Amino acid sequence: MRKKLVAGNWKMHGSLVENAALLAAIKPALQGIEAAVCVPFPYLGQAQAALAGSSIAWGAQNLSEQTKGAFTGEVSAAMLVDFGCRYVIVGHSERRSLYGESDELVAKKYMAAQAAGLTPILCVGELLAEREAGVTEAVVARQLDAVIAAAGVASLARAVVAYEPVWAIGTGKTATPEQAQAVHAFIRSKVAALDVGVAAGLVIQYGGSVKASNAAELFIQPDIDGGLIGGASLVADEFVAICRAAAK
Ligand code: PEP
């Protein structure tokens, strides 16, 4: 059976003081439950110090596709490894839409992460207009194909995919379990057409306004293997309840 994995995406939130309280609250509550938090770069050391030895992994929300050099403001995969990261989010819709990250750049970042031994959490998902135009599967396929073309289908054995319909991120509008399951099944079948074994083991998270109150109905779907959680990952009780729902 595939594991279920819940990862928090703190986005550009937090402070040393706020993070200390949040980490201190989730750590004992999630003892023995595999989960992850993806924190802003400056707080990686804090997450590492607080979570080392626990069942909660930590990671970043972005990385450079470059390994080193004159790239002012960028952060390499090796630097994330230096801080004990296991995961890094690539291709989040906010990176794609606000910072112009193309499918090709996302694929390069995905490969840079894997080359350093990190597990990329590859975000895919359609805009509301794309869903309304009936092209959800085409968009998700294009985003996945860019990575498969660059890194090969076998690379997905060392990755997590997060299906995040853009219209559901931070909006309070969650995809119904049926809507999410349909796209997750599409992703798995698309990968299965290339490699059945990789598809069977692929962890596909759902992201988009997941809360404690809707997590269970999403996670019970056969192709939903946990979640990528934004806003609710900043509230200890919410995040703990979501992680517990996935661990059931
Ligand atoms: C996200 O940031 O990836 C996300 C899914 O956010 P939220 O849970 O707030 O919708």
Side-chain angles (χ1 to χ4, degrees):
M1 217 182 74
R2 279 185 304 277
K3 68 172 182 188
K4 285 196 175 8
L5 176 70
V6 171
N9 172 14
W10 289 7
K11 310 196 188 196
M12 199 171 74
H13 291 293
S15 67
L16 286 173
V17 171
E18 287 169 7
N19 305 343
L22 180 55
L23 292 167
I26 65 173
K27 186 176 160 181
L30 291 178
Q31 217 175 359
I33 297 180
E34 204 185 321
V37 287
C38 295
V39 309
F41 292 135
Y43 301 132
L44 285 171
Q46 183 185 27
Q48 181 178 32
L51 299 175
S54 79
S55 57
I56 309 173
W58 57 96
Q61 302 164 16
N62 183 28
L63 81 168
S64 174
E65 75 283 13
Q66 306 287 347
T67 51
K68 63 156 60 178
F71 302 104
T72 302
E74 292 292 282
V75 173
S76 73
M79 293 171 186
L80 302 184
V81 171
D82 260 351
F83 283 90
C85 290
R86 186 180 309 164
Y87 297 102
V88 60
I89 298 171
V90 297
H92 191 279
S93 71
E94 288 152 19
R95 300 293 320 167
R96 292 180 190 264
S97 66
L98 302 175
Y99 299 95
E101 294 194 5
S102 64
D103 293 336
E104 290 67 34
L105 179 60
V106 171
K108 284 183 184 162
K109 291 186 174 201
Y110 171 100
M111 289 199 291
Q114 287 197 331
L118 296 165
T119 299
I121 299 176
L122 170 67
C123 297
V124 297
E126 81 288 0
L127 303 168
L128 182 58
E130 292 167 333
R131 172 161 285 265
E132 287 173 350
V135 295
T136 295
E137 291 188 356
V139 169
V140 169
R142 189 201 74 222
Q143 292 168 334
L144 270 179
D145 281 341
V147 166
I148 293 171
V153 69
S155 73
L156 288 169
R158 293 173 287 118
V160 169
V161 171
Y163 168 58
E164 298 208 305
V166 179
W167 47 272
I169 298 177
T171 59
K173 227 197 251 175
T174 317
T176 65
E178 294 73 26
Q179 283 174 321
Q181 166 57 28
V183 181
H184 282 235
F186 168 73
I187 292 170
R188 201 176 305 286
S189 70
K190 184 170 167 49
V191 175
L194 299 171
D195 190 315
V196 174
V198 169
L202 181 62
V203 171
I204 308 176
Q205 297 175 322
Y206 168 78
S209 298
V210 177
K211 310 181 260 288
S213 58
N214 60 23
E217 64 185 23
L218 287 159
F219 298 165
I220 207 169
Q221 300 298 316
D223 290 294
I224 300 185
D225 310 313
L228 183 56
I229 318 299
S233 72
L234 298 167
V235 182
D237 289 351
E238 280 283 314
F239 188 62
V240 166
I242 293 167
C243 293
R244 287 189 179 151
K248 272 193 186 142

